[in-house]
Amino acid sequence: MAVVLAVAWGMTDGEKAPLLFKGGLFLHSVGAALLIVVIAQVPGTHAARFAGSRLPRRLGEWSYSLYLWHWPVYLVLLPRLSWLGEWGALAVAVGVSLAAAAATKRYVEDPVRFRSGWARGRRGPAAVAALALAGLALWLLIPVPAAGAGTVDVDQLR
């Protein structure tokens, strides 16, 4: 199942693949869920031990922050890193996304989750205001996407 999912993902042309939006992503998600169920049923296998190892667990802890960070990082960095080549630019963007996700988990999510001092009292609103200003700065820095090659026209997906 893992090989089938990896091959399917590798053959997909990313967000440019119309099939992805016509049930392909749903089928991929169902396949991933089935893989998790199978791995949970036989915990002693190599696949189960790998799935429970440090790297996948850490990525799971960072997943929400990574979800939030990856797209702005790709929009801002990838066009500016073309001199590194496709794979080099992608490696830098992935690294920056992972670093931002790790920092966000440690300095934003965990303090709120564990009710750190800055998340309570008078410092809480100041921290929220600082984060809002940082978000506004990011919004101003991210270029407006240009329609055309490499974009998805949702009207064409119907």
Side-chain angles (χ1 to χ4, degrees), residues 9-96:
W9 194 251
M11 292 176 57
T12 303
D13 193 20
E15 75 278 358
K16 299 174 193 134
L19 181 62
L20 191 67
F21 299 101
K22 294 180 179 179
L25 192 55
F26 173 74
L27 288 175
H28 186 84
S29 299
V30 169
L34 287 173
L35 179 61
I36 291 169
V37 168
V38 169
I39 287 175
Q41 296 299 315
V42 283
T45 64
H46 292 295
R49 283 196 298 274
F50 172 75
S53 67
R54 175 180 249 156
L55 177 64
R57 285 185 296 146
R58 188 71 53 178
L59 288 173
E61 291 172 3
W62 296 344
S63 64
Y64 183 68
S65 294
L66 189 58
Y67 163 73
L68 293 176
W69 277 110
H70 85 281
W71 195 244
V73 166
Y74 284 24
L75 286 178
V76 171
L77 279 184
L78 283 181
R80 291 167 175 81
L81 296 175
S82 60
W83 57 275
L84 289 173
E86 184 178 344
W87 288 103
L90 183 63
V92 170
V94 167
V96 169

Side-chain angles (χ1 to χ4, degrees), residues 112-126:
V112 171
R113 182 180 300 119
F114 301 121
R115 302 195 187 276
S116 279
W118 74 259
R120 295 188 309 251
R122 293 182 181 170
R123 288 187 278 176

